[in-house]
């Protein structure tokens, strides 16, 4: 049973649980972990894979054989990831050039949702540039989004002034000129979470339909083991968990991300969260309550 998990603690717990359930786990080392998504979603080349929440939504919308194991491997606030240099601010996004690694990048979907919902930005009035395609075969950028020339990278373009704003999380370069476009972004993010009732979710865990048919007991054992690790780390994390576990705990984040993704032409149709829950439970032959919902 092939596993792709970016965190050593979760990978170790999952592998031990699979082994105890009678399986033979193999951790496939792919870094950064998002590079595993394309093969997993389109070819089921691994059985259990960490992947972005928007990749899950796209996969469902395009009919890929993917199930959700409701574990959050990465959750974080996102308002601080919209950055700029000079005198620009979030009020200047319309009419300016904005770069994002990929149109379906989850950080970008969250930030564009904030822009429309909190700041009244018309996304079509900004000049968007993407640098990579989608993980899900069949997905394309909207017609009003420009693709950067092959070989160029967002951090370099941003520092060179080829784009005025960048949406960057882990890829943010170190440069004293960079600042958040949203004033007091941390406070704004905290208030957004208070209003919504959750912290934005980036990465969760997917399982292929084929794996569910072959390894259901081992997959459920891996879920239990990873759930224990995440629960032990959640103490003192604040009013809302950074790593929600279980279908109900993830409902708010998935529903909001799905609404943002539909508005932004990231997915071609609305995705109902219960559709994903029911499909997963049927494939694993469990009730929703078995997986926290």
């Amino acid at each position: 049973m092939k596993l792709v998990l970016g965190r050593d603690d979760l990978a170790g717990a999952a592998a031990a649980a699979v082994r105890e359930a009678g399986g033979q786990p193999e951790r496939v080392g792919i870094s950064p972990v998002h590079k595993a998504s394309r093969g997993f979603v389109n070819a089921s080349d691994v059985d259990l894979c960490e992947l972005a929440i928007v990749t899950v939504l796209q996969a469902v919308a395009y009919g890929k054989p993917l199930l959700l194991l409701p574990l959050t491997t990465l959750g974080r606030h996102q308002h601080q990831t919209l950055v700029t240099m000079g005198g620009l601010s979030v009020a200047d996004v319309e009419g300016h050039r904005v770069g994002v690694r990929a149109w379906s990048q989850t950080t970008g979907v969250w930030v564009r949702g904030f822009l429309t919902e909190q700041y009244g930005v018309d996304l079509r009035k900004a000049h968007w540039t993407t640098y990579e395609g989608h993980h899900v075969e069949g997905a394309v950028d909207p017609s009003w989004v420009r693709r950067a020339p092959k070989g160029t990278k967002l951090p370099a373009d941003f520092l060179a002034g080829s784009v005025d704003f960048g949406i960057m999380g882990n890829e943010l370069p170190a440069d004293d000129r960079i600042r958040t476009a949203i004033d007091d972004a941390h406070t704004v993010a905290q208030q957004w979470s208070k209003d919504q009732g959750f912290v934005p979710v980036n990465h969760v865990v997917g399982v292929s339909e084929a794996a569910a048919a072959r390894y259901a007991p081992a997959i459920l054992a891996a879920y239990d083991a990873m759930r224990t690790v995440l629960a032990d780390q959640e103490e003192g994390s604040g009013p809302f968990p950074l790593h929600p576990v279980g279908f109900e705990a993830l409902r708010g984040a998935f529903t909001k991300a799905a609404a943002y993704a539909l508005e932004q032409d990231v997915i071609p149709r609305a995705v109902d969260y219960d559709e994903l829950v029911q499909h997963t439970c049927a494939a694993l032959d469990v009730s929703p309550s078995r997986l926290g919902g």
Side-chain angles (χ1 to χ4, degrees), residues 53-199:
I53 189 173
V54 173
T55 302
V56 175
L57 293 168
Q58 270 197 331
V60 172
Y62 282 92
K64 304 298 182 182
L66 175 147
L67 311 169
L68 171 66
L69 208 58
L71 300 151
T72 303
T73 61
L74 175 62
R76 70 180 181 204
H77 295 294
Q78 301 281 13
H79 287 74
Q80 76 284 354
T81 64
L82 179 66
V83 296
T84 188
M85 295 189 288
L88 297 175
S89 75
V90 65
D92 302 306
V93 168
E94 289 186 7
H96 284 85
R97 301 164 299 176
V98 189
V100 62
R101 177 172 58 80
W103 193 248
S104 56
Q105 183 185 16
T106 293
T107 295
V109 171
W110 283 121
V111 170
R112 291 192 301 267
F114 305 152
L115 289 175
T116 57
E117 193 171 64
Q118 295 181 275
Y119 299 97
V121 172
D122 183 341
L123 298 178
R124 292 174 181 254
K125 291 182 179 179
H127 306 295
W128 294 93
T129 299
T130 60
Y131 293 78
E132 296 179 11
H134 303 253
H135 296 311
V136 178
E137 289 179 358
V140 296
D141 289 354
S143 61
W144 39 279
V145 173
R146 167 185 174 269
R147 178 64 58 83
K150 188 175 181 179
T152 57
K153 300 292 184 182
L154 173 57
D157 265 8
F158 177 71
L159 291 176
S162 298
V163 293
D164 305 300
F165 295 88
I167 300 175
M168 289 181 279
N170 295 336
E171 64 267 57
L172 182 69
D175 191 301
D176 291 341
R177 297 173 296 167
I178 299 173
R179 58 184 184 76
T180 58
I182 297 172
D183 289 339
D184 202 4
H186 179 71
T187 299
V188 174
Q190 295 279 0
Q191 185 60 52
W192 186 91
S193 286
K194 183 178 180 180
D195 294 341
Q196 300 294 330
F198 59 86
V199 171

Side-chain angles (χ1 to χ4, degrees), residues 267-285:
I267 53 177
R269 67 168 179 88
V271 174
D272 186 335
Y273 184 56
D274 286 319
E275 168 190 354
L276 183 54
V277 172
Q278 292 163 8
H279 184 52
T280 298
C281 291
L284 291 171
D285 193 25

